Structures are given as structure tokens and as C-alpha cells.
Amino acid sequence: MQSVAALKRCGGTAVRSSMLRAQSRTLASQPSLDVEMPGMPQLTPASAQDKPASKVTVLDNGLRVASEENYGQVTALGMFVDAGSRYETAANSGVSHLLEHMAFKSTENRSTLRLVRDIEDIGGQMGAASAREFMIYQGECLRDHVETAVDILSDTILRPKLSPWDIDEQRKTIGYELEDMEQNAQAVLTEMLHAAAYTEQGALGHPLWCPKRNLNKLGEDDLRSFMTTHFTAKRMVLSAAGVEHERLVDLANKYFADLPSASTSGSEPKTEKSTYFGGERRVQAESPLTHVALCFDAGSWSADDLLETCTLHMLLGGGGSFSAGGPGKGMYSRLYTNVLNKYHWVDSAT
């Protein structure tokens, strides 16, 4: 029995030795790490590259193309549109919200499934968002696939199919969002603040979310009318980070050359001035917490005291007491030391 065990040990040792010799031969056949691999692009240190700088070019149709090269392997790009809920009326209130949901759906060239597959094939992700004063179609992709990303952007912006079944599906999605919003105190406060500050008749007082009264009224004609009026070259900016500016300009000329310079509906959109009135809005809710918000007229982004306003914003600070990464936001800010740190019943102050 001892001799059999010895033979097994010897056999196991021989097998291990054979495997080690095979691995050594495999490693010996691999090129050394200090030998250049054939066919690999020549790498240039970031310090040897030109300093990143923002560049802007205006195309013949008025579309502005802005970019900044950061020498990364991922490109972020987006199309900003001078549109949003402030340009809506009582009749089409919510059209921007619905357009946001109709982004990257069926187009004249692609089905929804094909569009999703094309985005996945380039390792990208794309989405859209609407606000009171702008809309954005944005995405990220690997640097080598920028052209495909710009093609997809142009397809969903210039050639949306706006099929009735797609619109019906997005109506349901928005309906769910409106139900969830009623439980979202921050979203409700934001809507109430704008309505109180500018009144619901003022441009900035228009609801950001699609009102329930219009949810089943808005259709393809409303969407196309809004796009025809507002989606013009002079009201749009194509921007990107992580791409050569000249290449982005060439792609913009290739895919957005047909974008009209002005509205083809015969009526140019007007930016109506919103006057600050101030006021008060209250709503009852079944919640153990009371949510309060104060709003002050502090001027616009073009105001002379913008820097002072932003500095005051940073000094006030605020936030929760603690966050997932450790101490909370602005632990030594005025709101933290004078409010959160003194009154235990205040859950958050921002």
C-alpha cells in the first residue's frame, strides 16, 4: 500500500512538472512587454497634446456646432433646442413632455427595435429631456462610432414617425409618471413655486409636466406643429466633448444640412417676458413631514449680479445630515450650522 501511495505521489509530481514546463513554453512564445505590438496605433502622452479648447462653428443654415477635444475614448454629444414648456399654450400644454418620451422611437428609417440595436452596437446610450427653456437629445458612445451616433440623433430629430401606437404607449407612461409625481414632494414643490412666482398664465409658470387634461388630447399634429415651429437650425446647437471639431462640423453638414433655418409654419416663436409676481400655494398631503419652499426674485442668468447670487448659493449650502459616502453635503454651510445642527426636527435644508 505504501508503494502504491508513493507511485501516486510521483505520478502527481510528474504531471505538475509537465504542466509547468508547458506554461513556461507558452510564456516564452509571447512577446516581451517592452516590444511594440504590430498594428497598434502610436500613443501620444496627454501632456504633448494641444490644450483642450472650446470651438464653435456656425453652419450655412444657422446651426451652431460646439465642441471640445478631451482626447478620451468616449464621446458625449447632444443637440440642444431652444424650446420647452415656456413656449407652450393652454391648448398644447405638455407637448414638450410628450416629445421627450417620443425621442428614439420609430423613425422613417428605423423601427424602435432597430434603433435600440444600433445604439447598443456602438456601445452607446441615448436619451432626451425637456425643461422649461430647452430640450436636449443626448448620448454617449465610443469615439470610433461618433458618425453613427450623429446619424441616430438626426434620424430621431428630423424624421420621427410619431406612430399612433407609440404615442398611446407614451401617454400611459406619462400617466404613471403623473401618479408618481403626486408622491414626490420635491417635484410638486417645484411646480407650485413656478406657478406662484409667475402665475400659471406667465411663460415660466407653465407646468413642466403634461397636465392630465391634455394627456389624451395631444396627438401627432400637435407634436409636428411644435417641432416645425421650434426645431429650426438657428434655435439649435450640436455640441460634443471628445471629438475633433472639424470632424463634428463635417458630420453636422452631412446629417443636418436639410434642417430649415426658420419655421416653415409661417409663425416664428416669440420669447415672452415672464414677470415675477410672487404668491402662495398650499396643498394637503398624507405625509408625516411638512415640505416648505421659499422663492425670491434674484434675476436671470444674464443679470449683472449673477456671480454674487451663485456665491450666496454656495455659502448657504445645505442638504441632508449624512450621505452614502460619509458626512453630508455642506456640513459647515450656514444652513447646516444654523438650522440642521440646532433643530433636530428639521430633516433637510437646501
Side-chain angles (χ1 to χ4, degrees):
M1 293 297 293
Q2 292 180 352
S3 58
V4 172
L7 285 173
K8 287 184 178 179
R9 286 196 297 273
C10 291
T13 302
V15 170
R16 288 195 294 272
S17 300
S18 176
M19 291 176 63
L20 289 173
R21 287 194 296 271
Q23 291 175 356
S24 299
R25 288 194 297 270
T26 302
L27 292 174
S29 64
Q30 300 295 324
S32 174
L33 293 178
D34 58 359
V35 176
E36 242 182 73
M37 294 286 290
M40 294 294 291
Q42 187 68 35
L43 298 179
T44 305
S47 57
Q49 303 279 11
D50 294 333
K51 184 179 179 180
S54 299
K55 298 181 180 180
V56 180
T57 299
V58 181
L59 304 187
D60 293 338
N61 60 0
L63 177 66
R64 284 162 289 177
V65 182
S67 72
E68 183 171 309
E69 175 64 280
N70 59 12
Y71 309 108
Q73 295 305 308
V74 175
T75 298
L77 71 163
M79 178 68 83
F80 290 81
V81 187
D82 187 8
S85 63
R86 77 168 298 165
Y87 298 101
E88 298 172 355
T89 64
N92 69 356
S93 181
V95 67
S96 301
H97 190 190
L98 183 56
L99 267 178
E100 171 192 336
H101 282 267
M102 292 301 297
F104 305 105
K105 299 298 184 291
S106 300
T107 69
E108 295 176 6
N109 299 326
R110 294 176 169 92
S111 65
T112 303
L113 179 59
R114 165 73 185 282
L115 201 148
V116 171
R117 285 181 174 176
D118 286 350
I119 295 174
E120 291 177 344
D121 285 346
I122 62 174
Q125 56 180 8
M126 291 190 168
S130 62
R132 283 182 163 79
E133 298 185 273
F134 70 88
M135 292 187 65
I136 177 176
Y137 296 77
Q138 62 184 352
E140 292 182 346
C141 68
L142 297 176
R143 188 187 187 94
D144 295 337
H145 301 294
V146 172
E147 180 168 1
T148 303
V150 174
D151 179 23
I152 293 173
L153 276 180
S154 69
D155 214 16
T156 195
I157 294 172
L158 302 180
R159 292 172 291 276
K161 205 166 186 179
L162 303 180
S163 303
W165 48 87
D166 282 335
I167 295 177
D168 288 339
E169 183 179 351
Q170 298 313 309
R171 283 198 189 109
K172 295 177 183 177
T173 303
I174 293 175
Y176 298 141
E177 287 184 352
L178 294 177
E179 292 177 2
D180 292 339
M181 190 195 75
E182 294 175 356
Q183 308 302 321
N184 185 338
Q186 189 62 47
V188 173
L189 278 180
T190 303
E191 290 294 288
M192 293 171 62
L193 274 180
H194 282 82
Y198 301 101
T199 75
E200 295 178 354
Q201 286 71 42
L204 290 177
H206 294 165
L208 179 61
W209 302 64
C210 180
K212 289 183 178 180
R213 67 176 187 274
N214 281 355
L215 187 54
N216 292 319
K217 296 179 182 179
L218 296 174
E220 179 184 354
D221 293 341
D222 300 289
L223 296 176
R224 292 199 183 279
S225 175
F226 190 82
M227 294 184 73
T228 300
T229 302
H230 297 86
F231 283 48
T232 57
K234 293 182 179 180
R235 299 176 62 87
M236 302 170 74
V237 177
L238 176 65
S239 64
V243 63
E244 300 90 346
H245 184 70
E246 293 73 18
R247 186 185 182 200
L248 185 64
V249 171
D250 291 340
L251 293 175
N253 274 314
K254 180 178 179 180
Y255 291 101
F256 290 98
D258 296 336
L259 192 63
S261 300
S263 172
T264 57
S265 64
S267 60
E268 289 293 329
K270 296 180 181 180
T271 304
E272 297 181 5
K273 182 180 179 181
S274 274
T275 303
Y276 180 88
F277 289 97
E280 181 181 330
R281 293 289 191 280
R282 297 189 185 194
V283 62
Q284 295 291 334
E286 295 182 2
S287 172
L289 298 176
T290 298
H291 301 268
V292 180
L294 296 176
C295 178
F296 300 93
D297 184 17
S300 66
W301 287 107
S302 58
D304 294 334
D305 57 356
L306 173 63
L307 292 180
E308 289 83 351
T309 303
C310 292
T311 303
L312 177 62
H313 178 213
M314 295 297 293
L315 287 173
L316 287 174
S321 298
F322 292 93
S323 62
K329 310 174 188 72
M331 280 193 68
Y332 303 104
S333 66
R334 270 62 172 176
L335 285 176
Y336 188 93
T337 56
N338 296 323
V339 179
L340 285 171
N341 207 29
K342 291 183 178 180
Y343 305 99
H344 68 277
W345 43 267
V346 177
D347 183 72
S348 178
T350 58

